[in-house]
Amino acid sequence: MSDNKKQEKDYTSEVDTLLPEAEALVMLGKLQEGLDKIFVLEKQTRNAADLTSTTRLAKAAVEHCYKASDFVLLNSTISTLSKKHGQLKGAIQAIVELAIGWLDEIKQTGGVPKWLEVVETLRSVTEGKIFLETPRARVTMLLAYYHEGLSTASTSTSAAQKESLQTACDLLADLQVETYSSMDRREKTEFILEQMRLLIAVARQKDAEQGKVGKDALGGGEAEWVKVRVGGRKINEEFLKAKDNEDLKLKFYDLMIQHALHQSNYLDVAKFYQKVWETPSIKDDTEDKGRAALEHIVYYVILAPHDNEQSDIMHHLYVDPALSKLDLHYNLVKCFITRELMRWPGIEAIYGEFLKKTPVFGSEKRWEDLHTRVIEHNIRVVAEYYTRITLTRLTSLLDLTAKQTEETLARLVVSGTIWARIDRPAGIISFRNKRSAEDVMNDWSSDMQKLLGLVEKTWMGMNAAQAAQSRVTKVSS
């Protein structure tokens, strides 16, 4: 296979003469004789490196097979032409692309079995050929869709459905389209997104089989979830910002949201919804998709554990004019922004009925997570205003039992959110770390500098006043 050989002869006139003769034989029902006639001249044009003539003859051969609906001979002809010694790359590429264009018609006229045979022939011909990597990827995509369709067919058994979905996923997973130089960026992105979508479908299927839920679950579809994360890193998010790629952007972030939810990574979910909301078509739809995206940002940012990034997102969200139009969500964010205690019974009474009707808080786990975030907020507020507090008093402020209070406090201390020590015999919690002698001296030095600065400022003020008074006295005398 090479196109580097210099053309030795132009067979255009011979091809122009031969093609009508071959077509006449085919019309008389002598398909094989017509093909043999084409193959004789095709060998000469191929050896002479006449790409144009070779391509015309190869395309004519496969067209005759297709028009005669002889799909067995079609597969044989495609395979034979592609394997001939010294076959030109352009000729192979031409017949492959021609056959791909017929696949839909073959499926309708010849049926699925014949369609599958042609697809497998094309996959066999294109295997291992870099110049055919894009056609191979497209054919493989069609085959994957076929197997995915089998996984949802009502006539299939449960085991067959699972096997078909796994087959579809494996077919696409074998394609490393991010390395294909002949494929444009949009098509690459579409392939990667389809890989991620099928991986998520397989992962959920395996999780459901083993009853595994969440990031802490071992086995199940965890391997597929990892591959989804890897696939997400292959997507160039800057490319998705283009207006023509909004559909890909929304699909990508939808898949990433599903992955983040599986990991219970609420902050990532909030950031992905923020990307969705920033899409012009979504942001302009203030009554439907835009409103829904903004609501989900609020829900997941308050569900996320407190850290600098979460706090920054929440404060930026709070001052956004769009949020002020959603009174309930605005007030909910305000509760977490304000350095005041939130009593859980009050939060439950005000927001519980509305929030539990949403898909986000329909899950009991997420409702418990919200309760946990309220408790953590209250502990941070207490730590800011108290240096020491009794365990009994803190328990009453948090509306928790003593055990629950200690567990939550310990978790926040371990995560580094606050500093605290519990004196269990005395029942006292201290929120201020014991200061070293160096810290005390530094504070004393700072205080002394401030004091000396005030003394100097006062002294200068007194001197100025005395000077002004002396001038007045001299003038009056």
Side-chain angles (χ1 to χ4, degrees), residues 458-475:
T458 304
W459 176 75
M460 292 175 65
M462 291 175 62
N463 283 344
Q466 288 176 355
Q469 187 176 4
S470 64
R471 285 197 298 269
V472 171
T473 304
K474 287 181 181 179
V475 171

Side-chain angles (χ1 to χ4, degrees), residues 150-319:
L150 292 180
S151 69
T152 58
S154 57
T155 55
S156 303
T157 62
S158 177
Q161 289 178 343
K162 294 173 184 176
E163 185 178 353
S164 296
L165 185 59
Q166 183 66 58
T167 301
C169 181
D170 292 341
L171 283 168
L172 281 191
D174 289 339
L175 300 174
Q176 304 298 323
V177 293
E178 64 274 10
T179 65
Y180 292 179
S181 58
S182 58
M183 185 180 288
D184 64 75
R185 292 181 70 183
R186 181 178 174 86
E187 191 173 5
K188 283 183 185 179
T189 304
E190 289 172 347
F191 269 93
I192 295 172
L193 293 179
E194 285 300 296
Q195 289 174 342
M196 293 170 63
R197 182 181 64 81
L198 287 174
L199 283 168
I200 289 175
V202 172
R204 285 183 170 165
Q205 185 183 80
K206 291 183 177 180
D207 288 343
E209 286 178 10
Q210 298 192 14
K212 306 284 187 181
V213 179
K215 63 180 179 180
D216 297 327
L218 299 176
E222 194 57 34
E224 282 72 22
W225 287 114
V226 172
K227 291 178 183 178
V228 172
R229 185 174 70 248
V230 173
R233 292 172 181 168
K234 297 176 183 178
I235 301 293
N236 187 334
E237 295 187 42
E238 289 297 320
F239 173 70
L240 298 179
K241 292 181 180 179
K243 188 174 182 180
D244 294 339
N245 300 324
E246 278 192 8
D247 56 331
L248 299 180
K249 177 181 179 180
L250 297 177
K251 184 175 181 180
F252 169 68
Y253 285 117
D254 177 59
L255 295 171
M256 294 308 296
I257 286 168
Q258 295 180 50
H259 176 266
L261 286 176
H262 170 76
Q263 302 291 328
S264 297
N265 195 334
Y266 298 130
L267 186 59
D268 280 352
V269 177
K271 289 192 288 187
F272 293 142
Y273 269 114
Q274 195 164 29
K275 295 286 188 181
V276 171
W277 185 64
E278 290 171 356
T279 306
S281 61
I282 300 296
K283 202 166 189 177
D284 294 341
D285 189 1
T286 55
E287 296 301 323
D288 186 16
K289 294 180 180 179
R291 179 189 178 96
L294 188 57
E295 289 176 352
H296 281 80
I297 296 171
V298 172
Y299 297 150
Y300 287 109
V301 79
I302 64 176
L303 281 173
H306 176 81
D307 59 20
N308 292 337
E309 187 178 15
Q310 185 266 357
S311 178
D312 181 65
I313 293 175
M314 185 178 290
H315 279 80
H316 278 88
L317 182 65
Y318 179 65
V319 298

Side-chain angles (χ1 to χ4, degrees), residues 14 20 87 98-99 113 179 188 215 219-220 223 313 345 395 422 433 444 458:
E14 288 86 342
Q87 186 59 277
L98 188 63
T179 65
K188 283 183 185 179
K215 63 180 179 180
I313 293 175
T395 300
I422 303 175
N433 192 2
W444 180 84
T458 304

Side-chain angles (χ1 to χ4, degrees), residues 100 103-104 107 112-124 126 135-151 163-175 191 194 197-198:
I100 290 175
L103 287 176
D104 289 340
K107 196 171 188 178
V112 173
K114 298 296 182 184
W115 178 84
L116 286 173
E117 290 175 6
V118 177
V119 167
E120 288 301 333
T121 299
L122 291 173
R123 279 172 47 80
S124 174
T126 56
R136 177 178 175 79
R138 291 168 182 163
V139 172
T140 303
M141 176 76 84
L142 295 175
L143 187 59
Y145 282 150
Y146 166 74
H147 284 288
E148 185 185 10
L150 292 180
S151 69
E163 185 178 353
S164 296
L165 185 59
Q166 183 66 58
T167 301
C169 181
D170 292 341
L171 283 168
L172 281 191
D174 289 339
L175 300 174
F191 269 93
E194 285 300 296
R197 182 181 64 81
L198 287 174

Side-chain angles (χ1 to χ4, degrees), residues 7-37:
Q7 182 175 337
E8 299 174 358
K9 184 179 178 181
D10 187 354
Y11 283 89
T12 302
S13 59
E14 288 86 342
V15 173
D16 290 340
T17 304
L18 177 73
L19 289 181
E21 295 175 1
E23 186 173 1
L25 288 172
V26 173
M27 295 295 289
L28 293 173
K30 300 177 181 179
L31 177 59
Q32 190 59 55
E33 291 183 22
L35 293 179
D36 291 341
K37 199 174 185 69

